Amino acid sequence: MVYSQAKVIAGGLAHIPILIGIFYFIMTFFNKRAIEYAEANKPKKVEKKVENPEIKAKSAAPTKIEAKVVVQKKVSDSSEIKTEPLNNKEINNIEKKSMKKKHADVPVNIYRPKTPYEGTVIENYSLLKEGAIGRVNHITFDLKDSDPFLNYVEGQSIGIMPAGEDANGKPHKLRLYSIASTRHGDNFEGNTVSLCVRQLQYEKDGETIDGVCSTYLCDIKPGDKVKITGPVGKEMLLPEEEDANIVMLATGTGIAPMRAYLRRMFEATEKEKNSWNFKGKAWLFMGAPKSANLLYEEDLQRYLTDYPENFKYTKAISREQQNTKGGRMYIQDRVLESANELFNMIEDEKTHIYLCGLKGMEPGIDEAMTKAAEEKGLNWSELRPKLKKAGRWHVETY
Ligand code: FAD
Ligand code: A2P
C-alpha cells in the first residue's frame, strides 16, 4: 500500500519537469510574439539622409467616398442590421479624417525658428530677360548637412529668416516661400531646395523701400549660409493619381509650386526618379507683366513640345496684351475665354485646381469662374465649396 502510494507520488513528481517544459515553451512563444509586436510598432528613427526621397506624400484628394454604397450607418440594434446613407456633415467628417490620415506622412516643421537649419547657397540667378520689370531670382540651397534631414514634397513652403535685426533690435521674423523644386531637387540628388523670389519694392513718401527678406534673398551669394525653417503646408499637395487633371492659375512667383509639379510630370530625369507616370492633363494659366518676365519659359516650351497631349500653357501678359474691354490682360480674362473647356475639365472629379501668387487676383478669378460657370449652367458659389471640400480647390496667395 505504502509502496503503491509512493509510486503514485513518484509518478506525479516525474511529470513536473514535463509540465515545466510545457510552461517554458508557452512563455517563450508569447515572449517572442510580444517582441515582434513591439518591434513592429516602435516609432521609426529619422534617417539623416534620405536615399530615395520619394516620400509617399499621399494624395491631396480624399479617398473617393461612395456614399450610396460604402458609407452607411447602422440604424437599428436589432439582429437585422438596417443601414442608411450618411448625411453631408458625416461624409465631410469622414473625408476630413481620411485626408488628415493621407497627409500624415508629409513632413512638417522639421526645423523651427528657434533652431533653424543653416543651409548653404548653391546658386542664385535672375530668371528675367532683358527689358523685364523688377527682380526675380531662382535660388538653390544645399540641404545635405541637415540632421535630421530636411525633406519636403512638391507644393510645400519653407521659411527663411533674413540676417540682421528689425527696427526694435530683434531678429527678423521668418518669411515663407513656396518651394520651386521637386523633392529630388534641381540636381535630382534629393539634397537641395530651390525658391523663386521676387524682390519686393514699393514707393513710400517719395522713397523706394526694399522688402527685407526678398532683398536679402536676391542679394545672397553662393557659399552664404541662410537660416531655413520648415517645411510647412499641406494645401498645395499634388494628388497621387496619375490620371488626375491639374489646372494651375499663377501670377508672377506663384509659378513656384507649379514649376515643381510640372517637373514632376514632364522632366525626364525627374520622372525616372519618381516613377510617377502622369497621364492626365496639366493646364497652366500664367500671368506676367511682360514677355521678358515670363518665368521658366524655356522649360515650359520644352514640355509643350514633348507632351502636346498632356500639357497646355495659356499666358496673360498684362502690359503687352489687352482684354476684351481694352484693359490689361489678366489670367482671369484667359479663364473666361476658355470657360467651356475649363468647366468640362472641372466637371471631371479627377480635376484639381491650384491658385498661387498675388492675393489680389482672388476676387477677379472668382468673378471669372462665376461667369464661366454660368455659361455652363452651373453656380460657382455652390460649386467652389464642394470642390474645396473634395480637396480639389487649392489656394495659396500672398
Ligand atoms: P517686408 O520687408 O516684410 O515688407 C512687406 C511689408 O511692406 C508688407 O507687410 C507691407 O506692410 C509693406 N508693403 C508692401 N507693399 C507695400 C506698398 N506697395 N505700399 C506700402 N507698404 C507696402 N514671395 C516670393 O517672392 N516667392 C514665393 O514663392 C513666395 N511664396 C510665398 C508663400 C507663402 C505661403 C506666403 C505666405 C508668402 C509667400 N511669398 C513669396 C511672399 C514672401 O513671404 C514675403 O512676404 C515677400 O517676399 C516680402 O517679404 P519682404 O521681407 O521682402 O518684405
Ligand atoms: P500688372 O502688374 O501689369 O497689373 P509679377 O509678380 O511678376 O509682377 O506678376 C504679376 C502679374 O499679375 C502681373 O502681370 C500683374 O499685372 C498681374 N496682376 C496684378 N494684379 C492682378 C489681379 N488683381 N488679378 C490678376 N492678375 C493681376
Side-chain angles (χ1 to χ4, degrees), residues 175-178 196-198 200 202 211-214 253 398:
R175 270 73 162 173
L176 290 176
Y177 292 89
S178 309
C196 170
V197 178
R198 157 175 278 289
L200 174 72
Y202 59 90
V212 173
C213 192
S214 57
T253 53
Y398 41 86

